[in-house]
Amino acid sequence: MAMRKKTKRAKAKPAGSKSARRVVTLKAKKPKAAQPRPSSKPQGEAGRALDGVRILDFTHVQSGPTCTQLLAYMGADVIKVERPGIGDITRGQLRDVKGADSLYFTMLNGSKRSITIDSKHAKGRDVLDRLVKACDVLVENFAPGALDRTGLTWEHIHKLNPRMIVASVKGFGPGPYEDCKVYENVAQCAGGAASTTGFRDGPPLVTGAQIGDTGTGLHLALGIVAALYQRNRTGRGQKVLCAMQDGVLNLARVKLRDQQRLTHGPLTEYSQYGEGVPFGLATPRAGNDSGGGQPGWILKCKGWESDPDAYVYFITQAPVWGAICDVIGKPEWKTDPDYATPPARLPRLRKIFDTIEQWTMSKTKFEVMDICNGQDIPVGPILSMKELAEEPSLRATGTVVEVDHPTRGPYLTVGNPIKLSDSPADVRRSPLLGEHTDEVLRVVLRYSDKEISEIKASGALSAPEKKAEAA
Ligand code: COA
């Protein structure tokens, strides 16, 4: 929108005089943003999206690391600060190879650098202050209050570096639970996912997808990128907060939609409606019902007796109802008034899916996939993790990547699920504990050799037993 500026009148002029009537409007000049010329390099050869962004990574476990790993894949220089001797607790959790970093750690910390600093040691805090000045974003997911206890309060950080963005994951936002520690499943339960997952006659269920941790990490990454973009205009950083409860609720928003619909009558697409089971006061668990307007269910396929994943998700999408009837050998349903329209089908979904299942049980899930997709009928095979790990197309797109590790050997990780045509994903192995301590001190923080020796001698970079030896 063009800005208009009116000139102030310096002195009152006699009414009716020419100069008194004259109001000059000036068009304010819009400052030209310094935009680079479009690169002449082919797409994918002009660096990465977040080249030049340096992240001070205080994250641990899953929610925070998944965020910073994504930013690292996009080109950010992520420097992970870890406790000397111990590191991120997940390095040693669920270990499958003796003495090597676990897959829990390696799959969440790829493409990062690791520096060990005791953030409660006076000299360690000096190093951290220097890092604050050298970085663009600080990311943390400590328990509430832990970052402040290390002295890295927002005020302190901002005094050192007003451009710094401080991004945090917490379990809950401000409110009665803000001081609580939270893990994945707590967030799934507190964010509405568990109460709406599972079968109606069973207990609430958590899902295998880590919507509390990785889901919130994704939300945080978006917040960070937005804050970086705004900083280009304002020149200053800001706080970015993602509460895991909020992130899960955002992902479960269709269930809040259903909660409100309930006040206007039963949820007709839920199978309990067709089964004549009355609804209660809250959105119920819906088993494998589709969350949208096109009814769906998980159906057995050939081999289901011995293969736990021989199933397919089948959607009775209205526009292809005729094709479904032909495929399953029920052409008469196309014109039968009990089946021909979506509203007529709603109370009969159980019978419809039982009938379709008689057909899917005669085919493998991949045969069902081939036949149905040939007719534009939306279906999805239930793919096991084994099948996904071996799927060539996921390797080809870089969604599943094999990287080599010095102590554990090759392992699979999930690459960048977000494909940028001009920013190829940078997927590298996770760092060993403190692997880059010297490099960061020397190259990023520009400490001299003498200063580095002094810092080391102070014990700020070493584990407690080494400190005792040094004393
Ligand atoms: N040097 C010295 N101390 C360090 C350190 C370092 N480099 N890195 C961490 N620490 C300290 C912290 O300062 C903290 O100290 P304090 O509480 O004694 O002051 C301590 O280690 C433990 O941190 P904390 O975050 O409380 O870890 P925890 O293992 O007790 O709790 C969580 C783990 C995940 C429950 C908790 O961090 C949390 O609720 N985080 C927010 C929500 C979240 O992200 N949850 C998902 C995790 S996947």
Side-chain angles (χ1 to χ4, degrees):
M1 200 169 66
M3 286 161 56
R4 281 170 179 268
K5 208 163 129 189
K6 284 189 177 175
T7 51
K8 267 191 190 169
R9 282 194 215 167
K11 270 185 198 166
K13 302 274 176 181
S17 75
K18 205 176 168 190
S19 56
R21 288 195 307 272
R22 197 181 60 193
V23 176
V24 182
T25 48
L26 295 176
K27 261 194 183 172
K29 268 199 173 172
K30 207 175 167 189
K32 272 201 173 169
Q35 291 291 330
R37 296 159 77 95
S39 170
S40 57
K41 294 181 179 162
Q43 289 267 315
E45 289 179 23
R48 294 196 167 83
L50 296 180
D51 274 349
V53 174
R54 186 168 283 145
I55 312 257
L56 175 49
D57 182 7
F58 271 111
T59 66
H60 65 156
V61 202
Q62 185 182 168
S63 65
T66 190
C67 163
T68 50
Q69 177 171 260
L70 203 54
L71 301 174
Y73 286 172
M74 294 186 180
D77 176 15
V78 177
I79 300 172
K80 184 169 171 110
V81 175
E82 296 184 81
R83 205 200 297 236
I86 304 165
D88 186 324
I89 192 143
T90 60
R91 283 188 185 266
Q93 285 180 336
L94 313 179
R95 264 197 176 129
D96 56 328
V97 177
K98 209 174 162 211
D101 287 332
S102 70
L103 286 166
Y104 195 2
F105 176 83
T106 53
M107 290 179 70
L108 289 165
N109 291 285
S111 307
K112 305 181 186 178
R113 300 202 259 185
S114 166
I115 175 172
T116 50
I117 305 173
D118 180 349
S119 54
K120 295 200 169 143
H121 188 287
K123 199 87 183 157
R125 277 201 297 271
D126 290 346
V127 179
L128 286 177
D129 281 355
R130 201 129 154 181
L131 267 168
V132 166
K133 289 182 195 158
C135 291
D136 300 280
V137 188
L138 184 157
V139 191
E140 62 95 19
N141 67 312
F142 287 131
L147 188 69
D148 284 358
R149 286 196 289 277
T150 66
L152 286 172
T153 59
W154 163 255
E155 292 73 23
H156 179 74
I157 294 166
H158 235 220
K159 206 166 147 202
L160 292 177
N161 181 358
R163 289 174 60 78
M164 178 67 101
I165 290 154
V166 179
S168 305
V169 170
K170 294 290 166 260
F172 293 92
Y177 305 121
E178 65 187 309
D179 292 330
C180 299
K181 287 184 175 180
V182 168
Y183 283 104
E184 171 68 44
N185 289 346
V186 176
Q188 288 198 25
C189 294
S195 72
T196 53
T197 302
F199 289 92
R200 201 174 56 246
D201 49 2
L205 274 188
V206 294
T207 74
Q210 305 287 281
I211 58 176
D213 280 336
T214 295
T216 308
L218 270 168
H219 284 90
L220 193 72
L222 177 59
I224 290 170
V225 173
L228 282 167
Y229 191 76
Q230 187 176 7
R231 194 181 72 170
N232 289 338
R233 255 189 307 114
T234 62
R236 66 182 186 204
Q238 61 183 298
K239 290 188 252 185
V240 180
L241 171 66
C242 285
M244 295 168 76
Q245 182 185 42
D246 300 5
V248 171
L249 180 57
N250 185 32
L251 298 176
R253 68 171 51 226
V254 296
K255 301 299 179 179
L256 184 58
R257 173 201 67 194
D258 293 349
Q259 180 63 42
Q260 297 172 84
R261 290 172 59 222
L262 257 183
T263 58
H264 299 285
L267 307 171
T268 51
E269 78 284 12
Y270 280 52
S271 17
Q272 83 174 71
Y273 168 72
E275 290 161 24
V277 179
F279 284 81
L281 294 177
T283 309
R285 292 186 268 289
N288 289 318
D289 284 332
S290 141
Q294 308 286 354
W297 197 259
I298 287 185
L299 306 177
K300 291 170 184 159
C301 292
K302 196 189 229 173
W304 67 273
E305 299 90 338
S306 54
D307 177 356
D309 297 308
Y311 289 82
V312 71
Y313 198 90
F314 199 105
I315 299 177
T316 54
Q317 194 204 14
V320 290
W321 176 244
I324 294 170
C325 295
D326 288 337
V327 160
I328 64 169
K330 281 280 184 190
E332 65 276 18
W333 276 2
K334 287 191 276 188
T335 48
D336 183 333
D338 280 352
Y339 295 93
T341 64
R345 291 196 287 274
L346 284 177
R348 297 175 180 81
L349 286 178
R350 190 66 274 138
K351 182 173 176 206
I352 290 170
F353 283 120
D354 284 349
T355 308
I356 299 174
E357 192 170 57
Q358 292 308 308
W359 176 76
T360 57
M361 280 164 67
S362 69
K363 309 269 177 289
T364 68
K365 60 187 175 188
F366 296 111
E367 286 167 350
V368 173
M369 188 70 181
D370 284 347
I371 295 168
C372 289
N373 278 295
Q375 302 291 320
D376 257 357
I377 302 166
V379 294
I382 306 306
L383 293 180
S384 68
M385 275 300 152
K386 182 173 187 303
E387 287 164 330
L388 289 166
E390 292 164 359
E391 172 58 43
S393 65
L394 294 176
R395 300 290 183 100
T397 57
T399 297
V400 175
V401 183
E402 185 174 298
V403 286
D404 206 1
H405 189 275
T407 56
R408 62 168 304 118
Y411 68 95
L412 289 185
T413 191
V414 181
N416 193 349
I418 303 164
K419 315 295 184 197
L420 298 174
S421 70
D422 205 9
S423 178
D426 173 26
V427 182
R428 286 173 282 129
R429 71 163 172 88
S430 61
L432 300 173
L433 180 61
E435 184 175 345
H436 305 98
T437 300
D438 279 29
E439 182 181 299
V440 172
L441 293 175
R442 189 165 287 117
V443 183
V444 178
L445 302 181
R446 299 181 186 281
Y447 282 112
S448 67
D449 288 347
K450 184 167 167 278
E451 286 170 317
I452 292 173
S453 306
E454 281 166 9
I455 295 167
K456 284 185 176 166
S458 77
L461 310 181
S462 37
E465 53 284 359
K466 293 209 178 124
K467 271 179 219 167
E469 279 165 26

